[in-house]
Amino acid sequence: MTEESYSSRNPPPSNRDLLILLGMFVTFVVGVIWIVGLLVNGLIGLIPPEVEQKLGSVIVPTFEKQAKSSPTQDTLNQLLDRLEQQLPPEQLANRNYRVLYVPESTVNALAVPGDAVIIYQGLLAKMESENELMMVLGHELGHFANRDHLRGLGRTLVLRMAIAYFVGDSGGLQAAIVNAAQVVGSARFSQSQETEADEFGLALLHGTYGQVAGATDFFAKLAKEKGQNLAILSTHPAPKSRVKKLKRAIEKRNYKVGEKTPLPSNLEV
Ligand SMILES: [Zn+2]
């Protein structure tokens, strides 16, 4: 066998081995990331609220600085209190849910570790009835109940920390922790997490009013504004499918759709 025929039949073994090694390495890294994700997901359900609040004590102050205590914020908290009355006692234990109202034009609402629901002025400005707003607040309470806010934070933060650790970048590690508030803001939940939060909110809405008028209003509005660059659209699934799913849930549960309650006057911004 000449050297020429050898090389034409298959590539030199050294290159091939290298490729196999590279493939194994990539598979290994992807596998580790996947397993870390699974572990974080599994462990998050076990994190007690006290630990969550400690985490919150790092994250919430960033939002507290942006928020202003105002009649608007007080009224939002009264609305949240009414929804909370519909929660089972075990979901209220060791919890201190509150709304922080941030006067910025961002159209978004967030559930932040530390029991804080962040409502931006831009979102409030889109609300046309109390029911519509209650649905959004109920949705955020659903994220707490399912601990989605920790899941989003967990995986992103864990990955960033892992990368910083492997690169040996202690400054990056610190930054990953400090930037937790930012991570919370851009956390993206899965379609099924959002559906569950929507259905949770729907049940709270029904418990509060005995009917579910306004449940789909906000999402229907978002569907019309899809072309616009709204923060809530970048972190939430297609609003059209949310409306469809909610309508299906309303039908399935035999919920009535009655009259809407007007927005309290100091929430009209
Ligand atoms: Zn959500």
Side-chain angles (χ1 to χ4, degrees):
M1 188 194 286
T2 64
E3 215 181 292
E4 213 186 305
S5 70
Y6 180 86
S7 64
S8 66
R9 227 175 280 160
N10 41 43
S14 60
N15 269 353
R16 213 162 145 210
D17 286 353
L18 213 68
L19 270 177
I20 291 170
L21 252 168
L22 188 70
M24 278 164 67
F25 179 71
V26 169
T27 311
F28 174 74
V29 168
V30 169
V32 165
I33 289 173
W34 184 69
I35 287 169
V36 165
L38 276 188
L39 275 179
V40 168
N41 242 349
L43 287 175
I44 273 166
L46 303 173
I47 295 176
E50 300 91 84
V51 174
E52 188 181 328
Q53 264 133 26
K54 272 207 191 106
L55 186 64
S57 67
V58 184
I59 297 169
V60 174
T62 315
F63 291 101
E64 272 170 343
K65 261 182 240 154
Q66 299 167 354
K68 255 205 309 225
S69 77
S70 59
T72 308
Q73 186 170 278
D74 294 344
T75 307
L76 286 169
N77 275 294
Q78 284 157 16
L79 291 179
L80 190 73
D81 286 347
R82 278 170 62 198
L83 283 177
E84 277 180 62
Q85 286 168 21
Q86 303 302 321
L87 291 174
E90 70 269 17
Q91 273 177 30
L92 280 171
N94 297 315
R95 292 285 188 182
N96 176 29
Y97 291 121
R98 64 199 189 284
V99 176
L100 291 174
Y101 175 62
V102 179
E104 283 174 17
S105 59
T106 311
V107 179
N108 211 354
L110 309 170
V112 171
D115 304 339
V117 176
I118 315 299
I119 298 286
Y120 288 97
Q121 183 176 356
L123 179 121
L124 188 58
K126 294 210 173 278
M127 296 294 133
E128 283 170 289
S129 71
E130 187 182 283
N131 315 65
E132 184 180 358
L133 175 58
M134 289 292 246
M135 180 64 195
V136 173
L137 291 173
H139 172 98
E140 296 307 326
L141 287 178
H143 280 314
F144 283 114
N146 300 324
R147 319 210 77 181
D148 297 329
H149 58 307
L150 284 184
R151 274 170 234 282
L153 178 73
R155 234 187 276 167
T156 316
L157 260 191
V158 165
L159 277 183
R160 285 183 56 188
M161 285 183 200
I163 290 164
Y165 176 80
F166 282 123
V167 178
D169 174 11
S170 66
L173 197 63
Q174 197 58 32
I177 296 163
V178 169
N179 283 347
Q182 221 180 336
V183 174
V184 163
S186 59
R188 213 194 142 95
F189 301 135
S190 73
Q191 187 98 23
S192 69
Q193 285 174 320
E194 289 305 331
T195 304
E196 271 182 49
D198 279 348
E199 291 185 356
F200 191 94
L202 186 69
L204 292 186
L205 196 68
H206 185 259
T208 305
Y209 296 98
Q211 49 98 2
V212 293
T216 56
D217 286 6
F218 181 54
F219 312 118
K221 214 174 284 171
L222 285 181
K224 275 189 204 147
E225 298 185 16
K226 228 188 148 191
Q228 292 178 39
N229 193 17
L230 301 180
I232 199 161
L233 287 176
S234 70
T235 53
H236 283 77
K240 228 186 206 164
S241 80
R242 294 176 79 180
V243 172
K244 222 189 258 170
K245 279 186 185 154
L246 273 172
K247 281 189 174 157
R248 221 178 293 149
I250 290 167
E251 221 170 274
K252 218 171 137 191
R253 299 180 191 182
N254 261 322
Y255 285 166
K256 269 187 275 180
V257 180
E259 295 288 307
K260 284 178 215 170
T261 308
L263 213 57
S265 59
N266 62 357
L267 293 190
E268 281 164 13
V269 291

